[in-house]
């Protein structure tokens, strides 16, 4: 789970004397503060008690963190109930974390599995002024790259959409991904490796207890069924399917030799610098594209787009979505 990774990292750095004890305790206390806030928000009340085992802390560590929160006026004396200042600080940390994740997604080359780790380290350092500077840079967004709502500077946040349970999913139905939960690393990695992200559209081909199959960007992909728990899904709207051409879309990596196709756009999983670079190179909707030549080892491949030959690796070309060529065009 995410919290175990966080606390293990902090403890490791502390053992190597790479983090001052006071700074480490403050960071851990604020992590505990966010957990108390999440519990209060989901249940409407403060937890009756916390055990050090549940938090992967020693009893002495937990007691020290609770004293730290009381001393800072973030929890009420002798209780786990947040003060108004505690709720405000928890919201500030949540806002900083989600803004920074979106900043990393849009303005860095870090992989999605690294966003949480880096944002967790930065959330404790960012000032309110830096929050607002990042928010302005990103256009005052409402959601982070996974679809989690970003609290505003006034402390409000958009409502989280209802998530369909696995039992409510129907084979043959197209679904729209509104959120991917990154708290469970294994499920998150499987979904990201498949290219799924917020705003993805896929068809559920087969739903079984152990493994299921989806149709996404022209490919039939097998996934462990447990990974679907990390997805917040709703049925796709007819206009979304029509606009995305999801039923007639394939990835550029499947373009046959000697066939010209039309670019439909870029995958929603293509973000930040990579998305801007591909668009600057001419990989935009409506452009014609064909294979020019393969390298001796088959990767990269050179494509002709807008009169220019551009070489792309497979991991770059998979982001480019094209219209499936008609059978006559491949003969």
């Amino acid at each position: 789970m995410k919290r175990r990774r966080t606390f293990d990292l902090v403890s490791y750095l502390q053992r190597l004397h790479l983090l001052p004890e006071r700074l480490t305790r403050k960071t851990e206390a604020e992590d505990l503060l966010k957990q108390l806030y999440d519990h209060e928000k989901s249940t409407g009340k403060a937890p009756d008690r916390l055990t050090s085992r549940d938090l992967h802390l020693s009893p002495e560590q937990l007691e020290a963190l609770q004293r730290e929160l009381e001393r800072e006026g973030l929890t009420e004396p002798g209780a786990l109930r947040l003060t108004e200042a505690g709720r405000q600080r928890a919201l500030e940390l949540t806002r900083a974390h989600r803004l920074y994740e979106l900043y990393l997604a849009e303005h860095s080359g870090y992989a999605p599995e690294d966003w949480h780790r880096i944002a967790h380290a930065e959330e404790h350092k960012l000032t309110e002024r830096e929050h607002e500077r990042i928010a302005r840079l990103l256009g005052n967004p409402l959601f982070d790259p996974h679809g989690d709502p970003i609290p505003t500077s006034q402390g409000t946040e958009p409502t989280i959409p209802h998530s369909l349970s696995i039992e409510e999913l129907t084979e043959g139905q197209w679904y729209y991904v509104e959120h991917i939960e990154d708290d469970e690393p294994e499920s998150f990695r499987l979904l990201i490796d498949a290219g799924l992200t917020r705003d993805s559209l896929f068809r559920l081909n087969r739903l079984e207890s152990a493994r299921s199959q989806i149709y996404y960007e022209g490919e039939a992909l097998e996934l462990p069924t447990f990974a679907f728990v990390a997805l917040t899904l709703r049925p796709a709207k007819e206009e979304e399917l029509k606009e995305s051409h999801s039923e007639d879309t394939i990835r550029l990596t499947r373009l046959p030799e000697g066939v010209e196709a039309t670019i439909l756009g870029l995958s929603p999983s293509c973000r930040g610098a990579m998305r801007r670079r591909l668009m600057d190179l001419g990989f935009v909707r409506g452009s014609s594209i064909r294979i020019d030549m393969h390298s001796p080892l088959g990767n990269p491949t050179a494509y002709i787009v807008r009169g220019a030959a551009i070489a792309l690796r497979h991991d770059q070309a998979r982001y480019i979505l094209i219209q499936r060529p008609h059978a006559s065009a491949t003969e």
Side-chain angles (χ1 to χ4, degrees):
M1 295 294 290
K2 181 189 293 185
R3 300 205 65 79
R4 178 180 294 182
R5 288 192 305 162
T6 299
F7 282 119
D8 286 350
L9 175 63
V10 170
S11 300
Y12 174 74
L13 293 175
Q14 189 175 11
R15 286 197 302 273
L16 294 180
H17 305 290
L18 297 178
L19 281 179
E21 183 179 354
R22 181 67 182 81
L23 176 59
T24 302
R25 186 183 303 135
K26 182 177 186 296
T27 299
E28 292 178 334
E30 289 187 335
D31 286 337
L32 176 58
L33 179 72
K34 287 202 302 180
Q35 186 161 339
L36 292 173
Y37 175 77
D38 290 341
H39 185 281
E40 183 181 279
K41 190 168 65 171
S42 61
T43 65
K45 62 178 183 179
D48 296 328
R49 60 191 295 269
L50 288 175
T51 65
S52 57
R53 180 178 300 179
D54 291 338
L55 298 174
H56 310 289
L57 298 168
S58 69
E60 294 77 18
Q61 284 177 307
L62 178 56
E63 184 179 352
L65 298 185
Q66 289 178 280
R67 286 199 306 268
E68 178 82 10
L69 292 177
E70 285 187 25
R71 183 165 50 247
E72 296 292 329
L74 303 177
T75 57
E76 296 180 4
L80 296 172
R81 193 177 303 108
L82 299 182
T83 62
E84 195 53 45
R87 294 186 188 92
Q88 182 61 36
R89 180 56 181 158
L91 273 171
E92 289 173 359
L93 291 166
T94 302
R95 174 173 168 79
H97 183 102
R98 294 176 181 174
L99 279 171
Y100 207 78
E101 280 198 328
L102 187 56
Y103 173 79
L104 292 170
E106 299 296 341
H107 295 279
S108 82
Y110 287 103
E113 55 267 29
D114 294 326
W115 297 342
H116 169 74
R117 173 181 56 81
I118 298 171
H120 176 264
E122 293 299 320
E123 70 184 54
H124 302 279
K125 306 173 186 177
L126 295 174
T127 64
E128 187 174 346
R129 178 175 295 182
E130 288 169 326
H131 295 179
E132 299 315 308
R133 181 175 60 81
I134 294 174
R136 287 194 301 272
L137 173 67
L138 298 173
N140 295 306
L142 296 178
F143 297 93
D144 75 1
H146 311 304
D148 285 311
I150 299 175
T152 66
S153 55
Q154 290 76 37
T156 60
E157 55 184 308
T159 57
I160 300 176
H162 167 71
S163 178
L164 294 172
S165 66
I166 291 180
E167 292 74 19
E168 294 176 286
L169 302 182
T170 304
E171 291 181 350
Q173 171 71 51
W174 283 88
Y175 291 99
Y176 181 94
V177 178
E178 294 192 311
H179 172 252
I180 295 184
E181 180 55 64
D182 62 340
D183 272 342
E184 179 47 59
E186 184 177 1
S187 295
F188 182 70
R189 179 185 57 79
L190 289 167
L191 297 170
I192 293 299
D193 287 348
L196 289 169
T197 186
R198 173 175 163 82
D199 300 328
S200 293
L201 286 164
F202 70 84
R203 185 180 67 218
L204 182 60
N205 282 351
R206 189 183 73 249
L207 182 63
E208 297 178 353
S209 58
R211 295 188 66 82
S212 298
Q213 186 189 83
I214 66 172
Y215 178 79
Y216 178 55
E217 295 183 345
E219 299 184 11
L221 306 174
E222 297 277 338
L223 287 171
T225 302
F226 71 77
F228 284 76
V229 177
L231 293 172
T232 299
L233 302 173
R234 64 164 171 78
K237 300 175 183 177
E238 186 176 340
E239 57 267 28
E240 290 169 338
L241 288 173
K242 184 177 180 180
E243 173 68 19
S244 66
H245 298 276
S246 294
E247 295 178 313
D248 200 31
T249 292
I250 62 172
R251 293 169 177 169
L252 180 58
T253 50
R254 297 185 60 196
L255 178 65
E257 187 89 35
V259 174
E260 189 170 277
T262 301
I263 296 175
L264 295 176
L266 300 180
S267 169
S269 61
C270 184
R271 308 185 66 109
M274 175 62 71
R275 189 177 192 89
R276 291 188 291 273
R277 178 173 180 270
L278 290 176
M279 294 184 72
D280 288 344
L281 289 172
F283 296 98
V284 295
R285 187 167 190 160
S287 297
S288 297
I289 189 168
R290 60 180 172 83
I291 294 174
D292 183 30
M293 62 178 294
H294 295 288
S295 65
L297 298 179
N299 191 20
T301 297
Y303 299 91
I304 299 294
V305 60
R306 298 199 166 210
I310 300 173
L312 296 176
R313 302 188 308 270
H314 289 348
D315 61 338
Q316 298 169 318
R318 71 191 294 265
Y319 288 130
I320 301 166
L321 305 180
I322 61 173
Q323 187 167 25
R324 184 190 305 276
H326 298 299
S328 59
T330 63
E331 295 175 355

